[in-house]
Amino acid sequence: MATRKSAAGKSGDSKAPSKGSAGKPAASKPSAAKAARKSPVKRQAERAKSVDKALLLRLYSEMLMIRRFEEKAGQMYGMGLIGGFCHLYIGQEAVVVGLQSVLTDADSVVTSYRDHGHMLACGMDPKGVMAELTGRRTGYSKGKGGSMHMFSREKKFFGGHGIVAAQVPIGTGVAFAQKYLGEVAVCLTYLGDGALNQGQVYESFNMAALWSIPVIYVIENNKYGMGTSTERSSAKSTELYHRGQAYGIPGVQVDGMDVLAVREAAEKVVAHAKAGKGPYIMEMLTYRYRGHSMSDPAKYRAREEVQKMRSERDPIERLRQMLLEEGLAQEAELKEIDRKIKDEVSEAAEFAQNSPEPDPAELWTDVYTEPAAAE
């Protein structure tokens, strides 16, 4: 699938999103209320005017690849072919696809354990990802990492991390290293709303602000950290992009169910960080359709709530409708994209199941131990 392009977007524009007194991007005064009344598809159509058809179809294809891959992963988990934990990304595809579309090959990514979509958006091979999910030797971590612990040095994807918020100081460190080495690059550091109250997050914010580290903290706010809503877990304000104010870190809140809104905001934020202006916080308002993990029945929310999000705000269907209504694609063309993606995912599943399991001797490799003290 397509991956980052060095010339993607308008990353040469070094202006950060303008903010009002509350830290939100300042809307053009005459059109704010009018824009709010427009349908999501119409709002997306306006953003699409500055994006060529090839890119729109690429964004659509990448989101659909993540959706179909995750559906297959869920199916294989139910069949007992994937063990351990498995956190699906279904519903949140627009976040990672929109953000990755403005990165270059110099940029890095680190994320939490809901990570399959991030791997695919970084250009990692679906076969290698599925092989790792099934614990096979051909997986990205040789079958020893599973769902939560995959890495690709080649794609500058530094994990999948199973400890809540552990990736935040790591991403800060990666961005610091890039700056220290004189690279013009950012590190996208993804975290969930449930991770935001961890102390290491704020230690990272402080360090990033002190040293103007080019790290972008992406809060994927899907409304439920595990099973607790943000309203119950976040004191005072649920507008999470304000959390860096004490450190002077600017923030922006974005419709994470609109891939073009994500891309538009990302162009400005990435330019801000690459211009040496320091860290930025992006809060993506998104939603997961499945439970926190495959073992979560998600009884803490109403079925009607999930259905409403699916029917009114689904990121893939929203882009699909816009492409058809604006005459940018034909139904047959989109069906063919879906067919090819399904075939690719099926091939990845077959490859994984036919791949050998790791040699038992692998238990003793890639393990860090302290050398024995001399007697």
Side-chain angles (χ1 to χ4, degrees):
M1 64 187 289
T3 184
R4 314 169 194 168
K5 301 296 181 182
S6 59
K10 305 170 186 173
S11 55
D13 178 6
S14 61
K15 288 185 178 180
S18 58
K19 304 180 293 299
S21 58
K24 291 185 179 181
S28 55
K29 293 178 181 177
S31 60
K34 186 177 180 182
R37 291 194 297 268
K38 292 180 181 176
S39 73
V41 173
K42 289 299 182 185
R43 290 199 297 271
Q44 195 168 62
E46 291 183 359
R47 292 189 176 99
K49 291 176 182 177
S50 60
V51 182
D52 62 50
K53 176 183 174 179
L55 177 56
L56 290 171
L57 289 178
R58 177 163 71 86
L59 297 174
Y60 178 78
S61 298
E62 291 186 1
M63 287 196 294
L64 194 59
M65 166 57 79
I66 295 172
R67 177 71 58 89
R68 298 295 181 238
F69 183 95
E70 294 289 69
E71 289 171 347
K72 176 62 76 172
Q75 179 186 21
M76 293 175 69
Y77 188 94
M79 296 168 64
L81 297 172
I82 295 174
F85 292 100
C86 186
H87 304 80
L88 301 182
Y89 200 64
I90 296 174
Q92 299 182 210
E93 298 90 350
V95 175
V96 70
V97 170
L99 281 161
Q100 295 296 136
S101 73
V102 305
L103 295 191
T104 72
D105 291 335
D107 300 315
S108 303
V109 173
V110 64
T111 188
S112 67
Y113 44 76
R114 195 179 306 280
D115 52 6
H116 313 154
H118 303 76
M119 299 168 194
L120 297 172
C122 284
M124 292 167 68
D125 188 347
K127 292 181 179 178
V129 178
M130 193 67 84
E132 187 60 40
L133 284 174
T134 53
R136 304 308 171 107
R137 191 182 304 175
T138 50
Y140 272 98
S141 295
K142 303 179 184 178
K144 298 185 292 182
S147 173
M148 298 191 289
H149 303 287
M150 286 187 236
F151 299 80
S152 174
R153 191 183 185 99
E154 176 193 4
K155 299 298 182 181
K156 294 195 172 181
F157 178 82
F158 296 109
H161 294 270
I163 298 175
V164 175
Q167 74 278 10
V168 178
I170 292 172
T172 306
V174 170
F176 171 77
Q178 291 172 162
K179 179 179 179 178
Y180 185 82
L181 294 171
E183 300 174 2
V184 181
V186 299
C187 180
L188 288 186
T189 301
Y190 292 86
L191 65 153
D193 51 283
L196 195 59
N197 295 320
Q198 295 284 327
Q200 57 196 322
V201 173
Y202 297 95
E203 293 182 68
S204 299
F205 285 179
N206 185 61
M207 183 179 290
L210 271 175
W211 295 342
S212 295
I213 295 174
V215 56
I216 298 171
Y217 299 107
V218 182
I219 304 167
E220 297 193 79
N221 184 358
N222 59 28
K223 297 186 69 175
Y224 298 95
M226 247 179 143
T228 305
S229 69
T230 52
E231 287 80 8
R232 294 181 61 204
S233 63
S234 298
K236 193 173 181 179
S237 174
T238 56
E239 294 185 311
L240 305 181
Y241 66 102
H242 290 317
R243 292 295 186 92
Q245 284 185 341
Y247 310 95
I249 301 176
V252 63
Q253 190 178 72
V254 184
D255 180 0
M257 304 298 276
D258 182 340
V259 69
L260 296 183
V262 174
R263 176 180 164 81
E264 187 178 274
E267 287 178 326
K268 298 173 183 178
V269 171
V270 169
H272 169 97
K274 288 189 175 182
K277 297 179 179 179
Y280 217 104
I281 295 172
M282 302 184 77
E283 180 189 4
M284 298 294 170
L285 299 178
T286 186
Y287 198 81
R288 55 173 166 81
Y289 297 161
R290 303 289 183 92
H292 174 72
S293 68
M294 286 296 295
S295 59
D296 172 20
K299 293 182 178 179
Y300 42 82
R301 59 185 183 181
R303 183 177 300 176
E304 291 76 17
E305 177 185 309
V306 180
Q307 186 55 43
K308 181 177 176 64
M309 292 294 292
R310 276 186 176 273
S311 61
E312 296 181 6
R313 298 190 60 200
D314 184 79
I316 299 174
E317 183 59 26
R318 180 187 289 188
L319 184 56
R320 179 182 173 278
Q321 286 184 24
M322 190 277 291
L323 289 168
L324 294 173
E325 289 180 12
E326 298 299 313
L328 296 169
Q330 300 299 315
E331 185 74 46
E333 186 177 8
L334 298 182
K335 284 184 177 180
E336 179 63 13
I337 290 173
D338 194 11
R339 185 192 67 78
K340 289 181 178 179
I341 287 173
K342 285 180 178 177
D343 287 346
E344 190 175 351
V345 170
S346 294
E347 288 174 12
E350 186 175 350
F351 171 82
Q353 292 174 74
N354 292 330
S355 293
E357 294 184 353
D359 189 291
E362 282 287 344
L363 284 170
W364 309 107
T365 65
D366 305 315
V367 178
Y368 176 77
T369 58
E370 290 284 353
E375 297 200 7

